[in-house]
C-alpha cells in the first residue's frame, strides 16, 4: 500500500500540501477541513470529560468513542487528517485517562495494549475508508470522463460544443471562470459560473494541453482536486473545439466546391449559349452583307428575323446573368407596392411573345382581382421565366390562371398558376431552383429561369411552389399577399441582402 502522497503510476513525489492535495480523492475547502477538525477536537474533549466524570464510562468505552470520531474524520477529510486525529486522541487518552495521569507513562500493560490496539484500529479503519472513497472518486471520475468521451465520439463531427465541455469541467472541479486558449493564445471557448468565487480560497489553474492548447481557470480552493480528471475533461474540450474547426473547414471546402461547380456550369452554359447565337448572327449578317442583291425579299426577311431572334436570346441571357449576380451578391433592389396582377401578366407574356407564338397560351386573370403586394418589374420577370419554361417543355396548351385563395395570416392571398401538360419536373423544385440546373440535356435552357424566379419571389415575400397537373405536367404556383385590402400604400424599397 503506497501512501497517499506518493504516486505509484509515475514513481514521483507530489506535493501533499493540503492547499494543493494533488492526489486526494475528494474536494474539500480548507474552511470545511478546519471545521471538521475543530468538531473532532471538541468531541475528543467531551469524551475525555465523560470518561473522567462518569464511572460507567471506562477507558475502553472512551477509546471506542474516539475511534468513531476518527472514522468520521476519515470519511469527511482524508487519511492524513484522520491519522492526526487518532494520534491526538491516543495522546489525550494517555495524558488524562491512563494512570499515572498527566504523563505519557503507561503503568498498566492492559492500558498499553488498549492504546496500541486503538492506534492500529484507527489507522486501519482510516485506510479502509479512504481507500473506499478513493475508489468511489475514481469511479466518478471515470464516469464523468466516459460521459464526455461518449459525447465526443458518438456525436457527429463538430457538433460537440466546447463550451458545454468547459461547463462540465467547471462544475465538476468547482471552477468559476474557465477559458480554453489555442496555440496562438487566442480564447477559443470560455465558461463562467453563475456564482463568482473570491477571497482567500481562490485558486488559479494553468494546464498545458495537447496541440499547444492551454486551460486557464479560477475557482474554489479544494482539498482532493483530481488533476487527472481535470486534464481528461480539458482534453475533451480541446477535441470538441478541433472537431468544430474541422466541420467549419469541411463546410468551407463544400462552399468552394459548389462555387467551383457553379463557375464550371457558367462557363459551359454561357460558352455554348453565347457561341451559338453569335455564330448564327455572324453568318446571317455576313450573308446579307455579301449577297444581299442576290437574295429574295423573303430570304432577307428570314435572315433579319434570325438576327433579331438570336439578339433577343443574347439579351435574355445577359439579363439573367446580371439578375443572378445581383441575387447572389445580395444587392437586389425591391420596391414593393400595390400591383395589378392582370397588367403584370399581360406585360410578361408580351415579353416572351416570340416563344409563345407556336404555343396555345390561355390567360385567365380577372381584372377585378385585389391588388397584390409585389414589385411589378420583378414579378413580371418571374411570370416571364415561368411561362417561358412551360412553353418550352409543354406538350399542348399552357394556361396562366389567377384566383383569390382566401384569408391567410390576416390578409387574402392570390395564387397565380402556370399550368402545362409536359413531362413534369424530374427533380424537386428546391434542386431545380439552383443556378444552371436544367431539366434535361439539350433542352435549350441555361437553368437560370427557375433560380431567378425563386430568388425574386423570396425577395418580394412571395412563395413559389409546384404541384403535379392532373393528367400529367407541372403547375407552378406563385402565392402573393394582397396589399391591405386593395388600399394604396407607400412604396417600400429595400436592398435584399444588404
Amino acid at each position: 500500500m503506497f501512501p497517499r502522497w506518493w504516486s505509484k503510476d509515475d514513481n514521483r513525489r507530489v506535493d501533499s500540501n493540503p492547499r494543493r492535495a494533488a492526489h486526494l480523492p475528494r474536494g474539500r475547502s480548507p474552511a470545511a477541513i478546519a471545521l471538521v477538525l475543530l468538531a473532532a477536537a471538541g468531541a475528543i474533549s467531551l469524551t475525555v470529560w465523560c470518561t473522567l466524570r462518569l464511572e460507567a464510562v471506562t477507558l475502553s468505552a472512551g477509546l471506542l468513542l474516539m475511534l468513531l470520531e476518527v472514522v468520521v474524520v476519515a470519511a469527511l477529510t482524508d487519511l492524513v487528517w484522520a491519522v492526526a486525529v487518532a494520534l491526538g486522541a491516543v495522546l489525550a487518552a494517555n495524558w488524562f485517562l491512563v494512570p499515572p495521569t498527566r504523563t505519557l507513562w503507561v503503568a498498566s500493560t492492559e492500558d498499553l495494549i488498549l492504546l496500541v490496539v486503538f492506534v492500529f484500529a484507527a489507522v486501519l479503519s482510516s485506510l479502509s475508508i479512504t481507500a473506499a472513497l478513493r475508489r468511489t472518486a475514481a469511479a466518478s471520475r471515470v464516469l464523468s470522463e466516459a460521459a464526455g468521451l461518449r459525447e465526443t465520439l458518438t456525436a457527429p463531427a463538430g457538433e460537440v460544443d466546447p463550451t458545454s465541455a468547459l461547463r462540465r469541467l467547471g462544475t465538476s472541479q468547482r471552477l468559476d471562470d474557465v477559458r480554453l486558449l489555442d496555440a496562438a493564445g487566442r480564447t477559443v471557448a470560455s465558461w463562467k459560473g453563475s456564482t463568482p468565487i473570491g477571497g482567500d480560497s481562490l485558486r488559479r489553474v494553468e494546464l498545458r494541453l495537447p496541440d499547444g492548447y492551454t486551460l486557464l481557470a479560477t475557482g474554489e480552493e479544494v482539498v482532493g482536486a483530481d488533476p487527472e480528471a481535470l486534464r481528461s475533461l480539458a482534453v475533451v474540450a480541446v477535441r470538441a473545439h478541433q472537431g468544430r474547426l474541422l466541420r467549419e473547414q469541411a463546410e468551407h471546402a463544400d462552399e468552394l466546391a459548389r462555387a467551383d461547380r457553379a463557375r464550371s456550369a457558367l462557363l459551359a452554359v454561357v460558352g455554348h449559349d453565347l457561341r451559338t447565337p453569335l455564330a448564327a448572327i455572324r453568318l446571317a449578317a455576313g450573308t446579307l452583307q455579301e449577297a444581299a442583291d442576290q437574295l429574295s425579299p423573303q430570304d432577307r426577311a428570314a435572315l433579319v428575323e434570325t438576327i433579331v431572334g438570336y439578339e433577343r436570346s443574347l439579351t435574355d441571357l445577359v439579363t439573367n446573368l446580371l439578375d443572378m449576380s445581383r441575387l447572389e451578391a445580395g444587392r437586389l433592389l425591391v420596391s414593393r407596392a400595390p400591383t395589378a396582377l392582370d397588367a403584370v401578366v399581360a406585360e410578361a407574356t408580351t415579353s416572351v411573345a416570340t416563344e409563345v407564338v407556336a404555343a396555345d397560351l390561355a390567360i385567365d386573370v380577372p381584372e377585378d382581382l385585389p391588388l397584390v403586394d409585389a414589385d411589378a418589374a420583378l414579378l413580371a420577370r418571374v411570370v416571364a421565366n415561368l411561362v417561358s419554361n412551360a412553353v418550352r417543355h409543354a406538350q399542348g396548351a399552357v394556361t396562366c390562371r389567377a384566383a383569390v385563395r382566401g384569408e391567410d395570416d390576416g390578409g387574402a392571398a392570390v395564387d397565380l398558376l402556370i399550368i402545362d401538360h409536359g413531362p413534369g419536373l424530374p427533380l424537386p423544385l428546391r434542386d431545380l431552383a439552383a443556378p444552371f440546373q436544367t431539366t434535361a440535356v439539350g433542352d435549350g435552357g441555361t437553368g437560370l429561369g427557375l433560380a431567378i424566379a425563386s430568388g425574386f419571389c423570396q425577395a418580394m415575400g412571395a412563395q413559389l411552389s409546384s404541384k403535379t397537373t392532373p393528367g400529367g405536367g407541372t403547375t407552378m404556383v406563385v402565392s402573393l399577399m394582397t396589399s391591405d385590402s386593395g388600399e394604396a400604400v407607400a412604396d417600400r424599397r429595400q436592398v435584399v441582402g444588404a
Side-chain angles (χ1 to χ4, degrees):
M1 172 88 53
F2 284 82
R4 293 295 310 281
W5 55 86
W6 189 270
S7 173
K8 180 179 178 181
D9 295 334
D10 53 12
N11 197 30
R12 59 183 175 86
R13 190 79 173 182
V14 297
D15 196 350
S16 60
N17 189 327
R19 294 189 59 81
R20 297 175 186 173
H23 286 260
L24 299 181
R26 300 198 303 162
R28 296 284 181 186
S29 68
I33 295 292
L35 183 61
V36 172
L37 295 180
L38 286 175
I44 291 173
S45 301
L46 180 61
T47 302
V48 171
W49 183 86
C50 291
T51 306
L52 291 174
R53 297 296 180 182
L54 302 177
E55 294 182 357
V57 180
T58 62
L59 175 62
S60 301
L63 290 176
L64 286 176
L65 290 175
M66 292 182 184
L67 179 60
L68 176 62
E69 294 152 7
V70 171
V71 169
V72 172
V73 171
L76 294 179
T77 59
D78 201 76
L79 176 64
V80 174
W81 299 113
V83 171
V85 171
L87 293 177
V90 76
L91 289 176
N94 188 13
W95 185 266
F96 291 105
L97 304 178
V98 176
T101 59
R102 300 188 183 278
T103 67
L104 297 179
W105 178 256
V106 180
S108 170
T109 304
E110 180 181 353
D111 293 340
L112 179 61
I113 292 174
L114 285 175
L115 294 177
V116 172
V117 170
F118 169 80
V119 171
F120 275 98
V123 171
L124 291 177
S125 299
S126 300
L127 283 172
S128 300
I129 291 172
T130 53
L133 293 176
R134 186 165 56 249
R135 287 192 295 270
T136 302
S140 300
R141 174 174 61 83
V142 170
L143 289 176
S144 179
E145 295 174 11
L149 293 174
R150 181 172 61 250
E151 181 181 357
T152 304
L153 295 175
T154 58
E159 290 191 5
V160 180
D161 186 8
T163 303
S164 298
L166 292 183
R167 182 174 62 253
R168 183 186 297 111
L169 182 151
T171 53
S172 64
Q173 299 292 318
R174 298 188 183 181
L175 298 173
D176 172 63
D177 186 2
V178 188
R179 290 187 299 144
L180 183 65
L181 280 61
D182 61 9
R186 296 184 299 265
T187 300
V188 296
S190 62
W191 175 81
K192 268 186 173 294
S194 57
T195 305
I197 300 173
D200 296 335
S201 62
L202 186 69
R203 67 167 170 150
R204 303 184 185 279
V205 176
E206 181 175 351
L207 186 63
R208 303 294 179 182
L209 300 170
D211 302 328
Y213 285 83
T214 303
L215 182 78
L216 298 179
T218 58
E220 179 183 358
E221 183 69 53
V222 296
V223 174
D226 191 340
E228 297 303 326
L230 178 64
R231 172 173 290 275
S232 297
L233 294 174
V235 169
V236 169
V238 169
R239 299 307 179 217
H241 177 256
Q242 291 177 333
R244 176 161 292 187
L245 289 180
L246 289 175
R247 186 183 69 175
E248 292 175 353
Q249 293 172 359
E251 290 176 351
H252 182 61
D254 289 341
E255 291 178 0
L256 293 178
R258 285 194 296 269
D260 184 66
R261 288 193 296 268
R263 283 193 294 268
S264 299
L266 173 64
L267 292 175
V269 172
V270 174
H272 174 269
D273 286 358
L274 282 176
R275 283 194 299 269
T276 301
L278 287 175
I281 291 173
R282 183 169 56 250
L283 179 61
T287 303
L288 287 173
Q289 182 181 19
E290 296 175 1
D293 297 338
Q294 304 174 13
L295 297 175
S296 65
Q298 293 81 3
D299 292 336
R300 287 196 297 269
L303 291 174
V304 170
E305 184 178 351
T306 298
I307 294 173
V308 172
Y310 279 113
E311 181 274 334
R312 185 177 292 109
S313 298
L314 287 175
T315 301
D316 291 342
L317 175 61
V318 172
T319 302
N320 283 337
L321 289 173
L322 292 176
D323 289 340
M324 199 68 236
S325 67
R326 285 190 295 163
L327 281 173
E328 292 185 341
R331 295 293 177 181
L332 180 65
L333 178 62
V334 179
S335 178
R336 294 168 61 178
T339 303
L341 188 57
D342 59 320
V344 171
V345 172
E347 177 187 350
T349 53
T350 301
S351 66
V352 293
T354 56
E355 297 185 28
V356 302
V357 167
D360 184 7
L361 177 63
I363 300 177
D364 181 13
V365 182
E367 296 181 358
D368 58 351
L369 285 174
L371 299 179
V372 296
D373 184 22
D375 183 310
L378 298 184
L379 182 56
R381 291 295 313 283
V382 171
V383 176
N385 283 347
L386 295 179
V387 170
S388 177
N389 283 341
V391 169
R392 185 181 304 115
H393 300 98
Q395 298 174 357
V398 175
T399 304
C400 186
R401 179 183 303 154
V404 177
R405 176 158 46 92
E407 297 295 325
D408 184 18
D409 296 331
V414 175
D415 285 346
L416 177 64
L417 290 74
I418 293 87
I419 307 168
D420 70 57
H421 297 278
L425 298 180
L427 297 173
L429 179 60
R430 63 177 179 272
D431 295 334
L432 289 175
F436 309 108
Q437 178 65 58
T438 59
T439 58
V441 178
D443 67 352
T446 62
L448 290 174
L450 275 179
I452 293 172
S454 177
F456 282 5
C457 285
Q458 184 178 1
M460 292 186 297
Q463 293 183 353
L464 178 64
S465 59
S466 65
K467 59 184 180 180
T468 303
T469 303
T474 301
T475 298
M476 304 299 298
V477 183
V478 181
S479 299
L480 301 153
M481 297 301 297
T482 60
S483 57
D484 301 329
S485 300
E487 297 179 3
V489 297
D491 253 11
R492 285 169 291 168
R493 298 177 182 271
Q494 59 177 338
V495 177
V496 177

